[in-house]
Amino acid sequence: MKKNIFPAKYPQGGTLKKMPIAKLTIELEISHAQSLKDRRQVVRSMKEKLRHGFNLSIAELDDGIVWNRATLGIVVISNSTSYLTGQMQQIDNAAHRIATGLSTEILDSWSEILDG
């Protein structure tokens, strides 16, 4: 029988607290991209700037075949749903500002909060 190397640690009282997770999806149009290199430069810059400004996880969600489009996924975790709601709004606003600075357009963005 296998032993669980990461046993669950329960706080006093014996139950785990809920841990809401917020996810934000951003679709970018990089109209000036003439190559995969141009696309990667914009995506890398957007990811680095958002990571620098916020405590979040971010990844590219598409396979990068189309040079002038990209989809980014962002995830934030907290113990407060209201905090996550405000954080997602701030991240979305920052992404729009960064996109403008990179001559890139955000075609769509949407967020969802998953109660853990």
Side-chain angles (χ1 to χ4, degrees), residues 39-56:
R39 179 187 186 278
R40 279 195 306 255
Q41 181 181 9
V42 169
V43 170
R44 186 180 312 118
S45 181
M46 173 78 79
K47 287 168 55 177
E48 287 173 0
K49 289 178 182 190
L50 286 172
R51 274 192 196 117
H52 180 72
F54 300 93
N55 185 14
L56 53 79

Side-chain angles (χ1 to χ4, degrees), residues 9-45:
K9 303 226 178 191
Y10 294 98
Q12 234 173 4
T15 59
L16 289 173
K17 291 183 179 181
K18 285 192 173 189
M19 195 175 311
I21 300 168
K23 65 178 188 173
L24 174 66
T25 306
I26 299 173
E27 291 182 356
L28 301 171
E29 180 179 33
I30 311 163
S31 57
H32 65 278
Q34 299 297 311
S35 67
L36 191 54
K37 183 178 178 180
D38 293 339
R39 179 187 186 278
R40 279 195 306 255
Q41 181 181 9
V42 169
V43 170
R44 186 180 312 118
S45 181

